Amino acid sequence: MFNFFKKKKISNKKIDKIYDQHLYTGLNGILMRYCHRNLEKTLPNKEFKKVLEIGAGSEPHYKYIKEKNCKYFILELKGGKKLLDKRFKYKFYDGNKIPFKDSEFDRIILSHTLEHIVFPEFFLKQVLRKVKKGGVVSISLPTDPAVMWRIGRLFNKIFKIKKTLNTNALEYDYMNSIEHINSFFNLHSIIRYNFQKKIKESFLPFNINFPDINLFYNVHLIK
């Protein structure tokens, strides 16, 4: 979405407004917040004093966590939005090298981020190095292009995109193709192959390991 609207020379502030209106209003908003809440429900019972969220955008996961007194860092791409909130400490990066020391965090959160990363396997291994022994990497993913997700996209094309994005169906499909550069099925295989003995996973809304009838996938990698 960001790359598509940037090509149209729309300001970052306007893009953020369009993004929020599309993803966090109506049925989309209900489902996205449901995904955020459920990521916390399956979180291992540990203490997290220092947390990093990568790619928070304008809707940080912070509001859903229990330990509000933790040190909460947000890592965004250069040129990204910085929220005026003293609870968050921001850093910006090039999308490749994570600018923190190894074993620095108790938890790292990637909420609807990994599907946008160019080299996801390399990136995940780098992320895992940044958490302490016993730390957790929490990941939320859309099941795109599974059947239920495609039905949801069709719903958006019919009922929502004209109002919230001011685009047509072809533009909407193109927008998704350049943003969701990794399919869920590839990411799921990468996660299970590399971390199969260290994961706690769930599918939403039906919690059955069958992506085509679900919309989201949440997983915690335990170092």
Side-chain angles (χ1 to χ4, degrees), residues 35-183:
C35 183
H36 279 287
R37 288 194 301 270
N38 276 273
L39 187 64
E40 295 307 295
K41 287 182 180 179
T42 56
L43 181 65
N45 187 20
K46 295 175 178 284
E47 186 177 13
F48 304 105
K49 294 182 178 180
K50 193 171 184 180
V51 179
L52 170 66
E53 182 174 1
I54 302 177
S58 54
E59 282 282 337
H61 185 75
Y62 176 85
K63 66 176 71 173
Y64 302 94
I65 67 173
K66 295 176 182 177
E67 297 179 24
K68 302 294 186 182
N69 60 342
C70 67
K71 292 181 179 178
Y72 202 89
F73 291 76
I74 292 178
L75 183 63
E76 292 285 6
L77 290 172
K78 291 176 182 177
K81 181 178 181 179
K82 181 177 181 179
L83 299 178
L84 299 176
D85 193 320
K86 294 181 180 179
R87 296 172 297 180
F88 308 146
K89 297 182 179 180
Y90 273 84
K91 273 198 175 184
F92 294 89
Y93 79 132
D94 62 2
N96 296 306
K97 187 176 180 180
I98 299 172
F100 292 101
K101 297 177 182 177
D102 289 352
S103 303
E104 186 165 349
F105 296 95
D106 300 298
R107 183 186 184 194
I108 296 179
I109 300 167
L110 298 167
S111 179
H112 294 267
T113 299
L114 198 58
E115 64 269 28
H116 305 282
I117 301 296
V118 176
F119 300 109
E121 185 174 23
F122 169 80
F123 192 80
L124 263 182
K125 289 180 178 179
Q126 186 183 182
V127 166
L128 210 67
R129 291 200 303 270
K130 306 303 174 182
V131 293
K132 300 173 183 176
K133 181 68 175 177
V136 176
V137 176
S138 301
I139 301 169
S140 286
L141 292 171
T143 57
D144 185 18
V147 172
M148 185 69 82
W149 186 269
R150 295 204 310 271
I151 291 172
R153 187 172 288 171
L154 179 62
F155 174 89
N156 280 335
K157 284 197 282 189
I158 295 172
F159 297 106
K160 192 164 187 180
I161 60 169
K162 184 62 180 177
K163 179 180 178 181
T164 61
L165 301 178
N166 194 28
T167 61
N168 58 41
L170 180 59
E171 288 176 322
Y172 180 63
D173 285 337
Y174 173 73
M175 181 190 305
N176 280 285
S177 74
I178 63 173
E179 293 294 342
H180 286 195
I181 58 176
N182 300 306
S183 84

Side-chain angles (χ1 to χ4, degrees), residues 24-39:
Y24 286 95
T25 60
L27 182 59
N28 284 2
I30 292 171
L31 292 171
M32 288 295 290
R33 292 185 177 95
Y34 167 73
C35 183
H36 279 287
R37 288 194 301 270
N38 276 273
L39 187 64

